[in-house]
Amino acid sequence: MYSFLFWCLPSYLETSQILEKPLLQTRDLFFKIRRMAADPPPRLKDIVIVSIDSDSCDRLEARWPWSRRIFAKMIRELHAKGARIVGLNVSFTGLEEGGDASSRELGEAMREHGRVVIGATSDNDRLVKPSPLIAEGVARFGYLEKIVDADFAIRQSYLLRLYSRGTSSTGAAFASSFPLQLLASDRSESEITEPHFDADLGLLTVGRPTLGVYLNPDGSYPINYVADDGDFKTIPAWKVVQGKIAEEEVRDKVVLVGLTGSVFGDTHPTPLGILPGIAIHANEYLALSSGRELRFVPDWATFALSWAAAVCVLLLFLFRRLWLGVFGFVIAAGGLFLGAQAAFAKDFVIEPFILMLGPFTATVAGVLSNSAKLLLENKGLETKVIHDKMTGLYKYEYLRECLEEEWRRCKRGNLPVSVVMTDLDRFKKINDTLGHETGNDMIRRAGAVIKESARRYDIVSRYGGDEFVVLLWHANLEEAKAYRQRLRDAYHQMAGKLEDPLLKESSISIGVASFDPAVDPKYPPDTQRLVEDADKDLFLDKESRRKPGEARR
């Protein structure tokens, strides 16, 4: 039954919006762990981020959006210092106020460098090209939009946007993203080579030497976040514009320019936390240029592994003790998690949420099964003949089981426990004189008085004949003696209301014994000695109240 229900989960997960966020956020944990444990990719040192922040605006005395002349000056400075590629996370559409001189100047600066990539916006899956004066000089441009998940985090991107389908030989027409154009510019030796997409294979190839990336049918792919924004070398934009950077800081580097301050609104939730848009583009470029695309293990294989672990955990619950099942869950869940994290360090994704479903659901099923089993066992125990038929009290055997459990609990918790034994005085004379029915009625009356005088959670049992045993929970010797006096008074009050003179004279002998770890943790040494001590005290109590010349019973 469990296996049947478990294998219904894949179809449920495909359509469940409730579990979509937990599934994604569980995978995010792997990004954070890998970020802390693994070394950054070697190509990280080839990337420099030029930060457009509030400080740069103040130092350049320029409000955002900046004049295109500032970007032209920035590109010329980077070109002079030997930057290999310049990527501007900015879209330059339309004309600036005051004419087209600034656009012409920016286009000329881009042409002089030769490898400048800029951003663009998209409209109906088609790029909105930059100002013509800029488009003439820029090497490449690509759209900047990302895919936002249900929790507003960016975990995937359209590396290209399809807007028409072609044949398997010609592929599909598409618009390229900003990171893809960065990659294409970096992998092209001299001439401009455009990315190629085979729609039938879902394979995107770019540059020379060729790099291949498999995409989803809609052109999307999961971003492999391999670095936090603090891992990238960052230079304030004002330093670049004012020529205050050293040549070794940018020579032969890929320089990405973008907004970094939260005041500009270009910051987004990601698996590594809040990152500026330029750091997200930098992660895409870094992962792709390093050949580190995420590779997903098929869900059916992940479910199979999760199910196998779940079966092992459930068997431990069903055929062993509860604690062993819990231990099995810890081992299975920990092993699967560590194994999945080790695979993730190699860029293989084994969905951790799916992996944990098996051991977790097996543990829930195992706990419920053990609870149901315990409930049935307890129910069966109650239906057994543990009550005395004559008095309705517990049998002495049940009291001894409870005493054994309470004994261990008192030793651990340093709590007292007491046993009370009772015996009806001159009961044989009542039986011989008034008959066995009257004697049995007297036993029932005595049992009712004893039960009424005890607390509701104490255990009252019939030992045999006219003898009774009471287990007083967490009662020390003084409390047991106080109970003895209370019981004796209650019994005499009951007997005094009876009509027969012989019954009016009936009395009860009571012996008590206690185990109190706070007083003496070693005596009595066991429950048997405790009962024996109560029996001895019963004998002493009976002897102390025997009338002169009265024969022993």
Side-chain angles (χ1 to χ4, degrees):
M1 175 62 74
Y2 170 79
S3 295
F4 172 77
L5 293 175
F6 181 82
W7 283 105
C8 291
L9 288 174
S11 58
Y12 174 72
L13 285 177
E14 290 179 359
T15 58
S16 174
Q17 295 182 350
I18 298 176
L19 296 180
E20 181 181 1
K21 290 183 182 179
L23 191 149
L24 294 173
Q25 292 169 356
T26 306
R27 191 197 307 164
D28 291 349
L29 182 62
F30 277 14
F31 282 100
K32 294 181 174 68
I33 295 175
R34 186 183 66 182
R35 161 69 179 75
M36 293 185 294
D39 295 329
R43 289 186 63 91
L44 179 67
K45 65 180 183 299
D46 294 333
I47 301 174
V48 175
I49 291 180
V50 173
S51 169
I52 301 176
D53 52 15
S54 299
D55 185 48
S56 294
C57 290
D58 294 339
R59 288 177 178 267
L60 297 177
E61 297 181 351
R63 296 179 58 184
W64 184 258
W66 287 354
S67 167
R68 295 173 184 178
R69 284 192 171 89
I70 295 179
F71 287 105
K73 189 174 182 180
M74 181 187 297
I75 292 173
R76 286 195 170 99
E77 178 64 23
L78 292 172
H79 181 45
K81 296 294 174 63
R84 184 169 82 249
I85 297 173
V86 176
L88 297 175
N89 184 22
V90 183
S91 59
F92 299 97
T93 57
L95 296 174
E96 284 189 328
E97 293 183 8
D100 56 8
S102 60
S103 298
R104 184 175 291 106
E105 182 178 348
L106 178 57
E108 184 60 30
M110 291 176 175
R111 186 180 298 106
E112 291 172 3
H113 187 284
R115 287 194 176 186
V116 177
V117 180
I118 65 173
T121 57
S122 60
D123 181 22
N124 296 325
D125 294 333
R126 294 179 181 271
L127 286 184
V128 178
K129 294 183 179 182
S131 171
L133 294 175
I134 297 175
E136 291 175 359
V138 70
R140 298 173 180 272
F141 51 88
Y143 63 87
L144 302 171
E145 290 81 359
K146 303 296 180 188
I147 300 175
V148 179
D149 288 328
D151 59 351
F152 305 105
I154 294 178
R155 298 183 180 88
Q156 52 185 336
S157 171
Y158 289 114
L159 204 55
L160 53 84
R161 297 291 293 271
L162 306 174
Y163 56 86
S164 68
R165 290 279 182 177
T167 63
S168 59
S169 59
T170 61
F174 57 84
S176 300
S177 69
F178 178 69
L180 179 58
Q181 292 292 13
L182 282 173
L183 192 65
S185 181
D186 193 23
R187 298 184 69 87
S188 300
E189 296 178 355
S190 57
E191 75 281 6
I192 298 296
T193 57
E194 291 298 328
H196 177 269
F197 180 62
D198 189 317
D200 293 332
L201 296 177
L203 177 63
L204 171 69
T205 55
V206 58
R208 294 177 183 174
T210 301
L211 173 69
V213 182
Y214 283 97
L215 304 179
N216 296 323
D218 61 353
S220 65
Y221 85 113
I223 302 174
N224 189 5
Y225 286 91
V226 293
D228 200 354
D229 59 335
D231 297 328
F232 295 98
K233 179 176 177 56
T234 303
I235 302 174
W238 68 268
K239 282 190 174 183
V240 179
V241 176
Q242 294 181 1
K244 295 182 178 181
I245 58 171
E247 181 176 333
E248 58 268 18
E249 291 184 278
V250 296
R251 174 160 292 281
D252 204 31
K253 309 286 187 184
V254 177
V255 180
L256 303 181
V257 183
L259 302 167
T260 58
S262 58
V263 68
F264 297 110
D266 191 24
T267 55
H268 312 275
T270 72
L272 293 181
I274 303 297
L275 294 181
I278 192 62
I280 298 176
H281 292 306
N283 264 286
E284 285 194 77
Y285 169 78
L286 176 58
L288 292 173
S289 62
S290 303
R292 295 190 57 179
E293 308 87 58
L294 289 176
R295 300 170 178 85
F296 284 76
V297 174
D299 283 349
W300 66 264
T302 307
F303 269 103
L305 185 60
S306 181
W307 172 79
V311 170
C312 294
V313 172
L314 190 58
L315 288 175
L316 292 176
F317 274 105
L318 295 179
F319 297 109
R320 298 290 181 180
R321 295 183 178 179
L322 178 66
W323 68 266
L324 193 58
V326 174
F327 179 74
F329 163 74
V330 173
I331 295 298
L336 290 175
F337 188 86
L338 292 177
Q341 181 63 53
F344 194 77
K346 302 296 182 181
D347 303 316
F348 285 92
V349 180
I350 307 175
E351 290 291 2
F353 183 82
I354 297 177
L355 280 180
M356 295 299 106
L357 272 180
F360 176 76
T361 55
T363 299
V364 173
V367 171
L368 292 177
S369 176
N370 274 267
S371 299
K373 183 179 178 181
L374 182 61
L375 183 63
L376 291 175
E377 288 177 353
N378 291 339
K379 193 67 177 177
L381 184 62
E382 290 180 3
T383 58
K384 291 180 180 179
V385 186
I386 61 174
H387 290 87
D388 177 62
K389 292 183 179 180
M390 180 183 295
T391 62
L393 303 176
Y394 289 110
K395 286 187 175 181
Y396 176 68
E397 290 77 7
Y398 177 73
L399 180 139
R400 281 305 298 263
E401 291 180 7
C402 294
L403 178 58
E404 293 290 344
E405 293 181 5
E406 180 64 9
W407 182 272
R408 292 189 291 270
R409 188 180 296 111
C410 288
K411 291 181 72 174
R412 291 194 303 267
N414 205 34
L415 299 170
V417 61
S418 296
V419 170
V420 177
M421 295 193 70
T422 71
D423 180 32
L424 302 185
D425 300 326
R426 296 176 289 279
F427 181 72
K428 185 176 184 303
K429 185 177 180 180
I430 294 175
N431 254 345
D432 294 343
T433 304
L434 303 178
H436 289 286
E437 285 300 323
T438 302
N440 290 341
D441 182 63
M442 200 62 185
I443 290 175
R444 284 190 287 267
R445 290 176 182 273
V449 171
I450 295 172
K451 184 175 182 180
E452 185 178 349
S453 63
R455 298 167 298 187
R456 59 181 179 82
Y457 48 82
D458 293 329
I459 303 296
V460 181
S461 69
R462 185 185 180 195
Y463 187 73
D466 61 326
E467 297 177 322
F468 299 87
V469 179
V470 183
L471 172 61
L472 299 177
W473 300 94
H474 301 171
N476 57 29
L477 185 59
E478 294 302 320
E479 291 170 329
K481 290 180 178 180
Y483 169 72
R484 173 166 60 186
Q485 187 59 47
R486 186 168 66 252
L487 172 58
R488 179 168 285 142
D489 293 342
Y491 185 86
H492 288 166
Q493 184 178 4
M494 179 273 296
K497 297 178 180 180
L498 301 178
E499 296 181 359
D500 191 278
L502 182 60
L503 297 180
K504 285 180 177 291
E505 297 178 2
S506 177
S507 60
I508 185 171
S509 296
I510 307 171
V512 297
S514 296
F515 169 58
D516 193 345
V519 177
D520 188 348
K522 296 183 179 180
Y523 190 86
D526 51 42
T527 57
Q528 181 62 33
R529 179 64 65 85
L530 182 65
V531 175
E532 291 175 357
D533 287 352
D535 191 34
K536 291 178 182 178
D537 192 58
L538 170 66
F539 177 78
L540 295 176
D541 185 63
K542 185 180 287 291
E543 288 294 316
S544 67
R545 296 180 308 101
R546 190 183 302 278
K547 296 179 180 180
E550 184 179 2
R552 293 180 180 177
R553 203 186 77 176

